[in-house]
Structures are given as C-alpha cells and as structure tokens.
C-alpha cells in the first residue's frame, strides 16, 4: 500500500472512530434519578401546566372499583413539585385540557363518558357535561382525549366505543354544551393547528383525519400505513413549519412521520411502541414516552436521531411543556399491582 493511501485510510478510520465516540457521548442515557420528582397517588394520568399560577395539574382515577367513582386532581407547585392541593371530583379524571385565559380546566371522565369543568381560581367544579348517551347504543363511548381549540371555541373529545362505534364529540366552550356528535371516525388523539384552521385526528385504525377548524367537518382521511393493519395511533404532535406530524403508536414500533397535507408516511423513527408525543419548536426536538420500555426519548427533528434517552423506574405516560418550554413534565405510572405510587418527573431541558 502506498504511503499516501495508508495515510488517507488511517485518517478515515480515525475520523469514523471519533464520530462514533462523540455520538456516543452526545446520545447520553439518563435515568429518572437524574431529575426532580414528586410521588403522587395511584391512577395518575394526564398533566396541564398553568403559567399564570405556576401550577401543574395532574388528573387521577384512584380506584376502578365500582363503588369508588370519585376522582382526584393534584395541584403542584410547578417549580418545587410540592403538592399544594388535592382537589376531589365527583367523577374519575383522566384526560386534561387547560383554558388558562378563562381559568377552566377540562377533565375527561373516561368511565362516565363526560367532561368536568373545574375553575382553577377556586378549584371548584363548575359543571359536568354529559356526552355519552346511555339510552342510545350508537352514542355510548368512553372519553379518551380532550383537546382545546381556543380560536374557534371548541373542545374536541374522543369517544372510544365498541368496534366501529367510536365517536367524536365537539363541545362549544362558550355555551359549555355539546354542539356536535360525529360518528364513524374512531378518533383517539388530536392536535389543533389554530393558525391553519385545521384539526388533525389520529385513530385506532391507523388513519389520519383532517377536520376544518371552522366547521369541524371532515376534509380528508388517509390510511397512513395500510400495509400494516396492527396500527393503533394514540397521539399526534404537529410541526406546522415543516408540514409534518409525529404519530405515537401503542401497538407497533417506531414514531411515524407523516405529511400533514397528504397523510403520506415519509419516515419511521426507530423506537419502541409509544404513548405520548410533543414537539418543541425552539429546540426542534420531539419528546416521546415509551410506556412498555420504561423510557423517554428525546429526538432531533432534523435528523430523526435519538439524542438522549431517560430510563424510568415505572411506565412514562403523559407529557407537557412549561410555558417558556424550558421544562418537560412527565407523569409516570406504576403497574396496577405495584404498591409504589405514581409520580411526576420535572426534566430541565436546558441541561441537554
């Protein structure tokens, strides 16, 4: 081998070695012990961040026993995670959506098919809106997700029913009443693009459905990956500047990247099956919880590379960012048979 060739080969090998080494350092693995946490109770689900009060709300359903139907909402100090108040509700609480300007926390009551409205100034229940109609088999469903469209004064609520009986409820937030019940959509999770007047719905049958934000009418529905019938989409996060959505799938591996206009699948981010997904525009990062893998992924939205992972002692569930987007809060659930309590993690994103 010529000397010049040998030098080039050596330099190339050295460069590859350094790249691998630097990549390994960059993709550092953390555990939940590296971050602040707060033990709560059993049955903790979704979170909401109230910037005006610097508070974090955590919805919970402490028991699934037939005679224990009450819910509990934890109000935490967003900085210290100290429990400031435990707010009792008549019905068990799961999903949350916060209207900070009007001081209303919407709480999805999964088992009862309703939404509870909580005044965040008094921590008192304002109203319960019944959505599921027990008198009509075609209008019966459990509440799964609640997402607020502040611009159009709507709350979108997904109803999980029997096969082909899923419902989409649209609540008029000004009248605080059910405005529409839309059948045959099988909705599970939502994301609202207020500027674009669109609502994106992901379904348990692997579809991406686009709604008109002004009318709630269906504009388009697409099977994202028809070759795989096992998809069960849970949530979607939007990157409207890039025109893509990131879909969390509880049944199959990988986070799916789809074109919002066409519904075309353009990339699969290698990862375990997932629950929640949030996009951070300023950091251009995607945050994903992998419940079964006991892991949280921090993903580069440009390269789709996993930058960091956080291993958790239990099952990470829901995500919410602080108003300044410097902090990520995560609810972490124990196994149903575990004696330990569910907890909340506070992840300082500026340390990455």
């Amino acid at each position: 081998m010529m000397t010049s060739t040998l030098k080039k080969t050596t330099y190339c090998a050295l460069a590859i070695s350094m790249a691998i080494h630097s990549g390994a350092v960059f993709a550092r693995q953390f555990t939940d012990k590296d971050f602040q946490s707060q033990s709560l109770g059993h049955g903790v689900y979704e979170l909401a961040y109230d910037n005006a009060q610097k508070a974090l709300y955590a919805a919970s359903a402490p028991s699934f026993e037939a005679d224990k139907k009450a819910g509990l909402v934890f109000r935490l100090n967003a900085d210290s995670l100290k429990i400031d108040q435990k707010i009792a509700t008549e019905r068990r609480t799961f999903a949350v959506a916060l209207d900070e300007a009007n001081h209303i926390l919407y709480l999805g009551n999964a088992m009862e098919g309703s939404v509870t409205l909580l005044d965040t100034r008094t921590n008192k229940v304002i109203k319960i809106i019944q959505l599921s109609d027990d008198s009509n088999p075609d209008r019966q469903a459990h509440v799964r997700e609640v997402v607020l469209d502040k611009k159009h004064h709507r709350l979108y609520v997904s109803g999980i029913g029997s096969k082909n009986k899923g419902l989409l409820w649209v609540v008029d937030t000004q009248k605080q009443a059910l405005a529409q019940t839309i059948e045959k959509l099988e909705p599970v999770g939502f994301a609202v693009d207020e500027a674009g007047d669109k609502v994106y719905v992901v379904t348990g049958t692997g579809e991406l459905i686009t709604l008109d934000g002004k009318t709630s009418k269906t504009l388009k529905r697409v099977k994202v990956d028809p070759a795989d019938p096992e998809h069960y989409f849970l949530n979607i996060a939007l990157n409207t500047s890039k025109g893509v959505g990131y879909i969390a799938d509880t049944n199959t591996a990988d986070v799916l990247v789809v074109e919002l206009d066409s519904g075309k699948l353009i990339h699969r981010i290698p990862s375990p099956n997932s629950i929640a997904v949030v996009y951070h525009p300023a950091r251009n990062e995607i945050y994903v919880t992998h419940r079964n893998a006991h892991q949280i992924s921090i993903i580069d939205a440009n390269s789709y590379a996993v930058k960091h992972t956080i291993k958790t002692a239990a099952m990470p569930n829901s995500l919410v960012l602080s108003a300044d987007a410097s902090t990520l809060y995560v609810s972490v659930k124990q196994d149903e048979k575990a004696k330990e309590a569910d907890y909340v993690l506070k992840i300082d994103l500026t340390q990455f």
Side-chain angles (χ1 to χ4, degrees):
M1 182 181 291
M2 295 177 60
T3 302
S4 60
T5 304
L6 179 61
K7 286 182 179 179
K8 288 179 181 178
T9 303
T10 302
Y11 291 153
C12 182
L14 180 60
I16 292 171
S17 175
M18 290 176 68
I20 292 173
H21 177 71
S22 62
V25 172
F26 185 64
R28 181 181 170 189
Q29 188 175 98
F30 296 82
T31 72
D32 51 12
K33 293 182 180 179
D34 295 312
F35 305 98
Q36 189 177 350
S37 65
Q38 173 65 58
S39 177
L40 297 177
H42 295 285
V44 174
Y45 288 89
E46 293 194 3
L47 307 172
Y49 180 88
D50 188 332
N51 188 52
Q53 301 188 88
K54 294 296 183 287
L56 182 72
Y57 291 94
S60 74
S63 175
F64 282 92
E65 294 181 23
D67 60 340
K68 297 179 180 178
K69 298 181 179 181
L72 190 63
V73 179
F74 294 90
R75 175 176 161 162
L76 312 178
N77 180 294
D79 294 327
S80 68
L81 293 187
K82 176 186 174 183
I83 300 173
D84 287 339
Q85 193 162 358
K86 296 180 181 180
I87 307 165
T89 57
E90 178 184 328
R91 299 182 177 186
R92 287 166 285 202
T93 60
F94 296 83
V96 299
L98 176 64
D99 183 350
E100 190 173 323
N102 292 300
H103 315 288
I104 297 176
L105 184 67
Y106 294 92
L107 300 160
N109 312 123
M111 311 308 292
E112 295 82 8
S114 61
V115 173
T116 295
L117 281 61
L118 183 76
D119 188 320
T120 58
R121 294 165 297 185
T122 64
N123 296 327
K124 302 294 184 181
V125 171
I126 303 167
K127 188 176 186 179
I128 296 176
I129 304 174
Q130 185 62 42
L131 303 173
S132 180
D133 183 356
D134 291 340
S135 66
N136 185 345
D138 292 330
R139 295 291 178 102
Q140 294 178 11
H142 296 301
V143 167
R144 194 267 162 184
E145 190 65 88
V146 296
V147 174
L148 189 64
D149 182 347
K150 299 174 185 177
K151 179 179 177 181
H152 301 100
H153 309 292
R154 290 186 176 94
L155 182 76
Y156 289 90
V157 184
S158 55
I160 307 299
S162 56
K163 188 176 181 180
N164 299 321
K165 296 290 185 179
L167 301 172
L168 170 62
W169 292 298
V170 185
V171 173
D172 184 322
T173 57
Q174 292 180 314
K175 296 180 180 179
Q176 295 183 351
L178 177 63
Q180 290 178 263
T181 300
I182 304 172
E183 300 178 354
K184 299 179 181 179
L185 285 189
E186 306 302 314
V188 181
F190 310 96
V192 174
D193 174 13
E194 290 187 357
D197 294 322
K198 300 282 177 55
V199 180
Y200 296 95
V201 184
V202 290
T203 78
T205 56
E207 287 185 302
L208 174 65
I209 301 174
T210 307
L211 306 179
D212 186 319
K214 297 177 181 178
T215 64
S216 303
K217 291 183 179 179
T218 300
L219 298 175
K220 184 180 297 183
R221 57 190 305 172
V222 179
K223 276 273 190 180
V224 172
D225 184 19
D228 189 344
E230 297 301 314
H231 286 300
Y232 194 99
F233 296 158
L234 275 192
N235 290 294
I236 180 171
L238 306 182
N239 180 348
T240 54
S241 65
K242 199 174 180 178
V244 300
Y246 310 110
I247 298 177
D249 189 324
T250 189
N251 270 8
T252 65
D254 304 337
V255 174
L256 305 185
V257 184
V258 299
E259 287 183 347
L260 293 174
D261 285 346
S262 66
K264 179 182 177 182
L265 176 62
I266 57 176
H267 192 76
R268 306 178 74 106
I269 304 174
S271 59
N273 61 319
S274 48
I275 298 291
V277 57
V278 168
Y279 173 63
H280 190 322
R283 293 177 62 90
N284 202 27
E285 291 176 337
I286 309 160
Y287 309 117
V288 186
T289 55
H290 310 286
R291 181 168 171 159
N292 294 343
H294 289 201
Q295 177 181 309
I296 303 162
S297 293
I298 300 176
I299 300 167
D300 187 305
N302 277 331
S303 66
Y304 299 132
V306 177
K307 298 169 66 174
H308 305 292
T309 59
I310 301 167
K311 297 297 289 184
T312 54
M315 301 177 288
N317 195 64
S318 298
L319 303 165
V320 70
L321 284 167
S322 61
D324 64 4
S326 65
T327 306
L328 180 69
Y329 297 93
V330 187
S331 64
V332 186
K333 297 183 60 59
Q334 301 287 351
D335 183 87
E336 289 183 8
K337 297 180 181 179
K339 294 181 180 179
E340 296 82 6
D342 299 345
Y343 57 99
V344 170
L345 273 181
K346 178 186 176 185
I347 300 171
D348 180 1
L349 297 174
T350 63
Q351 75 178 67
F352 296 115

